[in-house]
Amino acid sequence: DVKVTQSSRYLVKRTGEKVFLECVQDMDHENMFWYRQDPGLGLRLIYFSYDVKMKEKGDIPEGYSVSREKKERFSLILESASTNQTSMYLCASSWTGGADTQYFGPGTRLTVL
Amino acid sequence: DAKTTQPPSMDCAEGRAANLPCNHSTISGNEYVYWYRQIHSQGPQYIIHGLKNNETNEMASLIITEDRKSSTLILPHATLRDTAVYYCIVRGNTPLVFGKGTRLSVIA
């Protein structure tokens, strides 16, 4: 079975802190994705990566950056956390460019105070 | 990517079949129909996908109309654990775009 893990289920940070959200997949998938989910807005794509050291902006990249130094790991970085970044963050991975099935991690619920 | 239209909510009696409709009238020839579900406080879970033909797996069946403008996800014997939000997504070679889905409540 595909396994996508995220470093924390719950995280509380203060405004202005630098926050790292880690995602690891164990199926040698080329593609990895970061989404955020908010009530009434659904899931929105922040960034994705088709290969190591490659990244593409999604629909809402502002305030975020990403890092993919190894194939199995995709990190989402909040350079200076703000209260409007309080959300559920979901990581996903898949085999090919985008048409293949995406598998999701359990999510990290981030609260920024 | 083509957009989809789903009813916001549905109820289903436990043990009965749950039929979840989805309209995607602007679907292109190379776009697939995907279904995911999200149980409360969990990440989305892949259910099934198809291009033209009907598909079945251990979780569900997918019926796609001949003109491909709509589809139906069928959970043959719904259980309480099937209570979730179900997303119908039409996509080509791009990341998933989630709409608001259908909130399915399975009632004992």
Side-chain angles (χ1 to χ4, degrees), chain A residues 35-38 41-45 59 90 104, chain B residues 38 44 87 96-99:
Chain A
Y35 295 82
R36 65 177 281 177
Q37 185 171 28
D38 303 286
L41 296 175
L43 278 88
R44 294 178 290 168
L45 182 64
D59 298 321
L90 291 152
F104 284 81
Chain B
Q38 188 172 21
Y87 297 97
L96 294 169
V97 176
F98 286 79

Side-chain angles (χ1 to χ4, degrees), chain B residues 46-85:
Chain B
Y46 166 78
I47 301 173
I48 199 167
H49 75 284
L51 183 63
K52 294 181 182 178
N53 300 320
N54 299 336
E55 303 288 344
T56 294
N57 63 20
E58 64 279 2
M59 290 182 68
S61 294
L62 174 61
I63 308 298
I64 302 174
T65 58
E66 194 169 341
D67 62 8
R68 303 212 318 130
K69 293 185 176 182
S70 66
S71 60
T72 301
L73 178 74
I74 301 172
L75 308 178
H77 305 286
T79 71
L80 298 178
R81 288 177 296 178
D82 292 321
T83 292
V85 178

Side-chain angles (χ1 to χ4, degrees), chain A residues 11-15 19 34 39 50-51 54 64 77 89 92 97:
Chain A
L11 206 55
V12 179
K13 295 292 182 181
R14 297 211 173 271
T15 301
V19 181
W34 274 107
Y50 286 152
D51 202 350
M54 288 182 62
Y64 303 95
I77 303 157
Y89 290 88

Side-chain angles (χ1 to χ4, degrees), chain A residues 6-7 10 20-21 24 28-29 33 36 39 43-44 47 50 52 54 57-58 66 72 81 88 90-91 96 100:
Chain A
Q6 296 183 227
S7 50
Y10 299 94
F20 291 86
L21 302 182
V24 178
D28 203 34
H29 285 172
F33 309 84
R36 65 177 281 177
L43 278 88
R44 294 178 290 168
Y47 268 98
Y50 286 152
V52 176
M54 288 182 62
K57 292 181 179 179
V66 290
E72 67 271 18
M88 169 71 89
L90 291 152
C91 175
T96 57
D100 213 337

Side-chain angles (χ1 to χ4, degrees), chain B residues 22-47:
Chain B
C22 180
N23 286 323
H24 31 80
S25 59
T26 59
I27 191 170
S28 300
N30 63 344
E31 289 180 319
Y32 286 76
V33 180
Y34 276 77
W35 283 85
Y36 280 75
R37 74 179 183 184
Q38 188 172 21
I39 296 169
H40 183 62
S41 296
Q42 297 182 22
Q45 177 190 23
Y46 166 78
I47 301 173

